[in-house]
Amino acid sequence: MVPFSLYVHWPYCTFLCRFCAFSKARVPAKGVEHERITSALLKELRTSLAPHKDKVLQSIYFGGGTPSLAQPRNIAQIIEAANSLVPLASDAEITLESNPTSAEVGKMRDFKQAGVTRYSIGIQTLDDRTLARMGRLHTGAEGLAAVDRARALFPGKVSFDMIFGFEGQTLDQWQKELETVLKHADNHISVYQLTVEPGTPLFRDRNAQRVVLPSGDLSAQMYESAVEMCTAKGFRHYEVSNYAVPGSESMHNMGYWQGRQWVGIGPSAHSRFIDPSSNQRISSARLPDIQRWAQHCEKFGHGTAKSTVISDEDAKQEAVVFGLRMLDGITDRRFAGVSGGQSLKDYLHMDRVQQYVDDGYLLWNSADAKLAPTERGLE
């Protein structure tokens, strides 16, 4: 059976981080309409998964927003409904994102009982002043405590996020933070450079020179420190921003990078799949406004804003670009899934590939017909 994935977007947050550009909204003063949002998600789920009953769900990912603000019983409803439409694989990975506030941490056991198998926590930094400046409502100590609690409930299935490049951060501070969090780490860590996205408060602050971020050279040193320190602790740098004990890579995210089909439900969620009726590759996006999305789900069974056909050339380009985000790279066999049988060697400009090989950025294995980045190439 064809492997498939489901992304579920829960749009609400109790606070809005100054750097975040994801689709989200602050919890309304009257509270979240949990039953209405869940009902809309279930309607969209049934409409979207119905054509894919011949596939198998390898992963479900609850992202946001802050999906740990959802009610565990509603998470269970979504998992059960998905499984009734497209069967879950016996080793299916079901991830839920969380912030390390006490209210959310207290629900961990309930989420496990709901069917969640993997827990991802947004620590971001251990520096309390930076957390406060960025609009977050937890401390560094609370972040570490959340990881420890999650490890007790989801052993071998806990990930957390760290960000480097905050205002005033030094290389020494970053290395000390990493040294501390690595003592609490389970089997997976995501490390991101702070990005300044248009439309965010951080973007406006930087443009008004109210914030001065570390230089490019310093950020590069922070990145290199993360690679060195994480790999020294047994984590493999398997993707640009991700590290895992071998065998503990994020199955869901690997699906994106390897070109697996997926359906996304919820406001602003994206999907990429092959339409069974037309055999065309489709890219679609849901409406971003929560109320409009819910109304469309109630009326039409889905809140799709747009749907486009992915051309063969775009599919091939994406396969190479996403494949080169991973240390394992891309093979002819995987490329053939989108190329109609065309080989990597025939598709790529091999003289340019060889130049990158000579410069130490890429590896080309002619025997296995595999193209992969070096560690230097991932930077």
Side-chain angles (χ1 to χ4, degrees):
M1 297 177 78
V2 177
F4 204 70
S5 291
L6 171 67
Y7 173 78
V8 183
H9 190 78
W10 178 266
Y12 291 109
C13 295
T14 52
F15 53 88
L16 302 182
C17 301
R18 299 187 67 78
F19 56 80
C20 182
F22 292 126
S23 175
K24 77 282 184 188
R26 191 185 297 274
V27 171
K30 63 181 181 179
V32 174
E33 296 178 284
H34 286 278
E35 299 311 314
R36 185 186 184 209
I37 292 296
T38 303
S39 175
L41 285 168
L42 289 170
K43 283 183 170 66
E44 192 163 65
L45 176 74
R46 295 186 182 105
T47 300
S48 302
L49 288 189
H52 302 284
K53 292 184 178 181
D54 60 335
K55 300 178 175 66
V56 60
L57 272 176
Q58 293 282 3
S59 64
I60 300 176
Y61 195 100
F62 291 90
T66 309
S68 52
L69 294 176
Q71 298 296 330
R73 69 175 183 276
N74 296 146
I75 296 295
Q77 285 179 280
I78 293 168
I79 294 171
E80 290 165 6
N83 187 39
S84 71
L85 292 163
V86 180
L88 283 163
S90 58
D91 61 345
E93 174 192 274
I94 304 176
T95 303
L96 184 131
E97 291 182 344
S98 172
N99 280 317
T101 62
S102 58
E104 294 162 46
V105 168
K107 294 161 68 175
M108 276 187 200
R109 191 178 301 277
D110 294 334
F111 284 126
K112 183 173 183 177
Q113 292 175 347
V116 172
T117 65
R118 183 173 180 271
Y119 214 75
S120 180
I121 301 172
I123 296 179
Q124 320 308 7
T125 178
L126 299 182
D127 185 80
D128 292 345
R129 289 176 298 178
T130 299
L131 287 167
R133 283 202 305 268
M134 290 297 111
R136 299 183 69 80
L137 301 182
H138 62 89
T139 64
E142 287 171 333
L144 295 176
V147 170
D148 293 342
R149 178 173 171 81
R151 289 183 66 187
L153 289 169
F154 301 90
K157 298 289 184 179
V158 176
S159 180
F160 60 78
D161 298 349
M162 291 294 291
I163 297 176
F164 65 87
F166 287 111
E167 181 183 21
Q169 190 175 43
T170 67
L171 180 60
D172 182 62
Q173 288 171 335
W174 170 238
Q175 291 172 336
K176 286 179 178 176
E177 284 195 39
L178 272 180
E179 183 179 4
T180 299
V181 297
L182 283 167
K183 294 175 182 177
H184 295 258
D186 191 35
N187 287 355
H188 193 282
I189 306 170
S190 298
V191 180
Y192 304 102
Q193 180 176 349
L194 180 67
T195 54
V196 184
E197 300 285 357
T200 62
L202 182 61
F203 179 83
R204 294 190 289 273
D205 286 345
R206 190 196 62 176
N207 284 2
Q209 298 184 333
R210 291 189 292 265
V211 169
V212 179
L213 302 177
S215 67
D217 287 344
L218 177 54
S219 294
Q221 289 179 297
M222 291 177 175
Y223 175 91
E224 291 165 359
S225 289
V227 174
E228 292 170 6
M229 294 177 70
C230 290
T231 54
K233 289 293 185 179
F235 291 86
R236 183 170 181 260
H237 187 199
Y238 74 96
E239 190 271 342
V240 175
S241 301
N242 287 278
Y243 303 79
V245 173
S248 297
E249 297 83 1
S250 168
M251 186 185 296
H252 186 85
N253 287 335
M254 288 288 284
Y256 294 149
W257 304 320
Q258 292 177 345
R260 186 188 306 151
Q261 299 178 62
W262 86 89
V263 159
I265 62 172
S268 291
H270 287 251
S271 305
R272 281 178 179 257
F273 57 86
I274 296 175
D275 184 344
S277 62
S278 66
N279 206 36
Q280 292 179 313
R281 295 185 187 87
I282 302 297
S283 171
S284 67
R286 312 298 185 185
L287 290 162
D289 180 83
I290 298 170
Q291 294 305 316
R292 286 192 64 213
W293 165 80
Q295 289 165 4
H296 275 68
C297 288
E298 290 159 357
K299 186 175 181 179
F300 305 111
H302 65 89
T304 305
K306 61 180 179 179
S307 182
T308 58
V309 175
I310 303 171
S311 70
D312 292 343
E313 179 59 24
D314 284 347
K316 288 187 280 190
Q317 288 182 12
E318 288 177 0
V320 173
V321 170
F322 283 105
L324 291 179
R325 290 184 62 95
M326 301 176 292
L327 197 63
D328 287 338
I330 182 171
T331 62
D332 250 355
R333 181 178 178 182
R334 191 177 304 138
F335 186 68
V338 299
S339 69
Q342 183 181 20
S343 69
L344 279 169
K345 193 171 182 179
D346 288 340
Y347 177 69
L348 298 171
H349 297 283
M350 292 306 295
D351 54 338
R352 294 173 65 181
V353 168
Q354 188 59 51
Q355 184 62 56
Y356 286 120
V357 170
D358 294 341
D359 290 342
Y361 294 104
L362 291 176
L363 296 170
W364 170 252
N365 186 324
S366 56
D368 296 332
K370 172 182 170 180
L371 183 67
T374 62
E375 185 60 60
R376 183 184 178 191
L378 282 181
E379 293 182 7

